[in-house]
Each structure stands twice: as C-alpha cells, then as structure tokens.
Amino acid sequence: MMKNQKILLICETNFVYSVILAQDRNCGYLLDLASENKIDIAIPEFSFLEVRGKIGERFKRREEKLGDIISFLNELMRSEYHKRTLYDVKEKLKQLYINSPKEKNEVLQSAEEIKSLCISIPHNAEISYRAFLRSVANLPPYKDNDRQIYESILHFTKDKDEYDLIIFYTSDKEDFDHKEIRDELEEHSIEVYFDSGECLRRVKEELEHG
C-alpha cells in the first residue's frame, strides 16, 4: 500500500486576502484541504502582520471618507429641503461609520482563524539581514516587504525533506516571476505557481497519486 503524499503549500499575503474577502474559491478550497489535514499550508508571520497593517489602513481610510461625507451632508442639511431629502442617506452612512470598528475586528478575526489552520513561518533578525543583502545586490523581489517574505520562505524550506512535494503559490506574478527566484526555488525543490487553479490541480494530482 502506497503511503499518503505529504504536501507543503507555501502562500503569502495575497492568499490570506483572497480567503478573507472570498475573492478566490480555489484558495478557500486549498484552506479546506489544510483543515482536513490533507495538506500543510505555511504562511510567513510577516504576511499576517502585513495583512493586519493593511486592513487597519483600509478601514482608517474608509472611516475618514465616511466622516468627510457625513460632515458635508450636515452642511447641506442646514436647508429644510436638503434636510428632508438627505436625512435617510446620512443615517445609513452614520451606521456604516459606527459599525466600522466591529467590521474591522471581524476581518482581523478571520485572519486569525486562517492562521490557526496554517504553519506560521517565523521571522527573525537573520532573515531581515538577508533581505537587506538582497536589496544591496538588487535581487528580486524588489519591494522591501516581498523580500522579507521571500527570505523567510527560503530559510524555512532549507531542511524540509519530510515532504514529497513543496509548492510556493502566489498571485503576485509581477513581483515574484523572475529567473533568479525560479532558480533559487528549484534549488530548494520548490515548484512555483501563479494561478490558483493550476496550483489546486497540481495538489489534487499529487493527492490522487498518494
């Protein structure tokens, strides 16, 4: 009898967003496989921090815009005509503004739930230093946060001989689809996919052969 294939899927920030915002059904399916212990999913700790920061910034911008619109409506509603026609609109916007902190906490909780189903790839000073050296050498990926994430993945996969298949999936083709990255990942015996459908097909294929 053949042993079950041990599969490690490494993802990054965009995967977490895709699941939280229900933007990609394939990503949700891959997370389901992890929850059923059919595969392992590993995501850098740095990615979860990045998600937290971006969500906070997103809600802050939304609340500022809502506040500005509500203030503008208050100005218009000084006239009796506008008071009658805009009252309901203003009340709905006020409710959105009031509910915003609760909604933000729910989104952050979703990120924590995803984290609980995954292996968290640790971050440390050595990884940060190696990311800095990449910038000095002008090696891809070229964005600072992407370098931190990528170096943490390389460090994490140095001694992962227990897996039959290791995949790195990212939808960020623009930043990660470079020859240098492909060559480094190949040295670590990591397959890379930029399309969630292709990634899911590869995982299913490996599971069926197990």
Side-chain angles (χ1 to χ4, degrees), residues 5-207:
Q5 297 295 85
K6 205 157 171 12
I7 301 169
L8 174 64
L9 174 63
I10 300 168
C11 304
E12 44 79 58
T13 312
N14 292 307
F15 176 87
V16 182
Y17 277 132
S18 293
V19 175
I20 289 174
L21 303 176
Q23 292 177 329
D24 191 323
R25 190 179 300 174
N26 295 325
C27 291
Y29 189 89
L30 287 163
L31 191 65
D32 287 342
L33 290 176
S35 71
E36 296 164 6
N37 295 316
K38 292 181 178 177
I39 65 172
D40 289 340
I41 294 181
I43 299 176
E45 177 68 28
F46 196 96
S47 285
F48 286 107
L49 293 172
E50 191 175 36
V51 165
R52 187 175 188 86
K54 286 185 177 181
I55 287 171
E57 186 59 35
R58 177 176 179 167
F59 275 89
K60 181 183 175 186
R61 284 199 308 269
R62 189 174 84 165
E63 287 164 14
E64 286 173 351
K65 286 178 182 177
L66 284 170
D68 289 342
I69 294 168
I70 291 166
S71 296
F72 177 64
L73 291 176
N74 283 332
E75 290 288 322
L76 290 176
M77 289 170 67
R78 287 179 179 178
S79 77
E80 283 301 316
Y81 171 75
H82 284 122
K83 185 181 281 189
R84 289 194 306 272
T85 57
L86 295 176
Y87 178 81
D88 285 346
V89 175
K90 190 189 90 165
E91 288 304 302
K92 286 176 182 175
L93 290 174
K94 274 177 65 179
Q95 201 57 48
L96 280 174
Y97 184 85
I98 291 166
N99 290 339
S100 189
K102 180 185 175 187
E103 189 180 340
K104 182 180 85 169
N105 287 335
E106 287 172 354
V107 172
L108 289 173
Q109 182 58 39
S110 295
E112 286 300 312
E113 288 169 7
I114 293 168
K115 187 176 181 179
S116 72
L117 295 171
C118 301
I119 299 166
S120 188
I121 299 176
H123 205 83
N124 57 39
E126 180 187 347
I127 289 166
S128 291
Y129 180 64
R130 294 189 68 82
F132 167 71
L133 292 181
R134 287 192 86 84
S135 68
V136 172
N138 197 32
L139 288 170
Y142 296 109
K143 293 176 183 171
D144 288 339
N145 284 1
D146 288 341
R147 285 189 176 116
Q148 298 286 343
I149 288 166
Y150 181 63
E151 279 296 336
S152 72
I153 290 169
L154 289 182
H155 188 268
F156 179 71
T157 54
K158 275 194 300 189
D159 301 304
K160 284 289 176 284
D161 298 332
E162 69 268 30
Y163 289 98
D164 301 292
L165 173 67
I166 303 178
I167 291 174
F168 173 47
Y169 163 67
T170 174
S171 59
D172 192 358
K173 186 177 174 70
E174 180 182 349
D175 290 319
F176 285 94
D177 191 13
H178 296 275
K179 184 180 184 302
E180 294 92 338
I181 290 176
R182 285 183 174 276
D183 288 347
E184 283 177 311
L185 292 176
E186 189 176 343
E187 285 176 16
H188 286 242
S189 300
I190 301 171
E191 298 180 14
V192 59
Y193 290 90
F194 299 103
D195 180 271
S196 63
E198 290 180 7
C199 177
L200 178 56
R201 279 192 292 275
R202 180 69 181 94
V203 169
K204 282 183 171 181
E205 174 188 87
E206 194 71 12
L207 287 172

